[in-house]
Amino acid sequence: MGAAKNAEDLSAEVEGWLGKERYVETTTFPIEMGYVYTSCASVENGNPLFWDEQVAGELTGGPIAPPSMLSAWFRPHHWVPNQTEQSLPLQVHFDLKDRLGLPEAVMTDNTIVFGVPVRPGDVLTTCQVLHSVSALKETKLGTGRFWEIEVRYTNQNGELVGTEWYTGYGYKRTAS
Amino acid sequence: MSEANLTIQDVKEGDALPELSVDVTATTIVLGALATRDWRPMHHDYDFAVNRNGTRNIFLNTPNQAAWFERYVTDWTGPKGRLGRIKFRMKDSVFPDDTMVFHGSVAGVDAEAGWVDLEMELTVGDKVVTGCTARMALPKDGDDNPWSRTGNDWKP
């Protein structure tokens, strides 16, 4: 991860983003169990670690969130008072779409490495690091570029709770 | 409900995980998007997905696929199984009316450290939609608890 060759035709602005920690953010609400139950319900996950306080107490010293929920905690509310523009998750991804003139995008690869468990009441901090942007490539979706973004997550004690790597593909659809 | 309680002694390379088959509905897709706080329209708006994204329907989002794979592996391990690393590559999408099937096998076992490497696939019909690898901590014996591993003992 992070070793892909970069395109040679990037603007100075996009080149300047490579390797830089950007969009340092803190969760807008403390971690809470309501979303844990919703997440488990969405995939019919009956793991007693998330439903049975006694099991959680014995194994993890109290309730925890499913590790796979990591990115969910940082997706912004769809609406908040006095906000004129909608916030977007993984802002570096959307910055790239905008600056590179690639209106559509999909995620192709996702790697998540987990650290200490996330617990109700935790307040997490994240940052995003762009690691690579490819030259233009043709795919069945259209013409576009691949990029790699790392997202780091820590808790209020500075402990690493996880790291995510995304490979995105921004593209223009091929005219049919 | 997950009732397994696997230890590393129960596992060997090449073991197959039990298959999990799920009939996908629009509700599956939309519930998964909402559970991961993903409000993007291609996961709930048919017209946007078809006419803007060029896909044939709304489709399952990436973070919810992670949740499905996590559920799949912990159904097999039980609650002491602790996910250390997961990687997946989306090759196609999962749509309403698809039957998605999760398959998996044990690619490697480190009995001394209490880790297994898994190779998994999410298929729809004959098509592999998502390929996935995961590294999972398992108890070394009945008394071990992977959730207590910290520092140098936690090597995902």
Side-chain angles (χ1 to χ4, degrees):
Chain A
M1 291 179 288
K5 188 172 185 292
N6 282 307
E8 294 175 355
D9 59 348
L10 299 178
S11 68
E13 181 186 28
V14 173
E15 277 205 358
W17 296 343
L18 290 164
K20 297 277 182 356
E21 284 192 359
R22 303 176 67 218
Y23 297 111
V24 176
E25 293 176 60
T26 299
T27 40
T28 55
F29 58 94
I31 305 308
E32 48 101 343
M33 288 302 287
Y35 264 108
V36 169
Y37 298 133
T38 304
S39 175
C40 290
S42 76
V43 296
E44 301 170 18
N45 185 349
N47 188 339
L49 194 51
F50 309 121
W51 296 96
D52 185 327
E53 285 190 14
Q54 186 177 340
V55 173
E58 288 170 1
L59 293 184
T60 56
I64 64 166
S68 67
M69 289 188 71
L70 205 49
S71 63
W73 304 118
F74 283 95
R75 292 206 181 81
H77 301 306
H78 188 60
W79 178 90
V80 292
N82 304 316
Q83 179 178 285
T84 54
E85 287 188 18
Q86 189 185 346
S87 299
L88 295 170
L90 205 57
Q91 185 65 52
V92 169
H93 173 78
F94 291 94
D95 289 351
L96 287 165
K97 286 178 64 181
D98 179 61
R99 299 302 200 281
L100 298 173
L102 301 169
E104 315 302 336
V106 291
M107 291 299 178
T108 60
D109 284 17
N110 184 205
T111 301
I112 319 171
V113 183
F114 301 104
V116 302
V118 173
R119 297 176 183 279
D122 277 358
V123 176
L124 307 181
T125 298
T126 185
C127 68
Q128 303 169 33
V129 182
L130 175 66
H131 283 280
S132 68
V133 181
S134 79
L136 281 170
K137 295 183 185 221
E138 297 279 345
T139 72
K140 68 177 182 180
L141 290 171
T143 303
R145 298 176 190 268
F146 289 90
W147 49 70
E148 276 187 307
I149 301 167
E150 179 191 3
V151 184
R152 298 172 188 152
Y153 303 94
T154 53
N155 65 15
Q156 65 280 3
N157 302 318
E159 298 167 307
L160 188 68
V161 297
T163 307
E164 272 197 288
W165 287 78
Y166 287 98
T167 302
Y169 178 65
Y171 62 98
K172 282 183 183 171
R173 290 176 68 181
T174 305
S176 53
Chain B
M1 178 64 79
S2 172
E3 294 181 355
N5 230 339
L6 216 59
T7 74
I8 201 77
Q9 310 300 330
D10 303 322
V11 179
K12 62 180 187 303
E13 190 174 330
D15 282 355
L17 278 64
E19 283 187 3
L20 170 67
S21 177
V22 180
D23 292 329
V24 176
T25 66
T27 303
T28 314
I29 308 288
V30 174
L31 180 56
L34 296 183
T36 52
R37 298 175 53 79
D38 187 344
W39 326 119
R40 290 176 299 162
M42 62 282 255
H43 305 304
H44 64 259
D45 182 337
Y46 175 86
D47 184 63
F48 185 97
V50 172
N51 295 316
R52 172 70 186 273
N53 270 169
T55 55
R56 69 174 162 86
N57 205 328
I58 60 172
F59 55 93
L60 200 66
N61 75 343
T62 303
N64 198 235
Q65 286 203 26
W68 276 108
F69 275 109
E70 179 179 8
R71 176 252 162 121
Y72 179 56
V73 294
T74 55
D75 273 4
W76 174 64
T77 64
K80 284 188 174 178
R82 180 179 175 188
L83 194 56
R85 173 185 293 258
I86 188 166
K87 174 177 184 174
F88 44 110
R89 169 166 287 190
M90 281 70 72
K91 301 173 180 174
D92 210 320
S93 300
V94 178
F95 300 105
D97 300 324
D98 284 346
T99 297
M100 60 178 182
V101 182
F102 294 83
H103 317 258
S105 62
V106 177
V109 179
D110 181 345
E112 195 172 325
W115 286 94
V116 291
D117 292 308
L118 304 174
E119 288 183 356
M120 296 175 283
E121 288 179 342
L122 190 175
T123 61
V124 174
D126 295 333
K127 189 189 298 179
V128 176
V129 173
T130 305
C132 179
T133 59
R135 188 162 162 76
M136 194 80 185
L138 288 181
K140 297 174 198 172
D141 54 44
D143 297 325
D144 185 34
N145 176 11
W147 291 101
S148 65
R149 296 180 197 168
T150 58
N152 288 335
D153 288 336
W154 181 243
K155 295 175 179 171

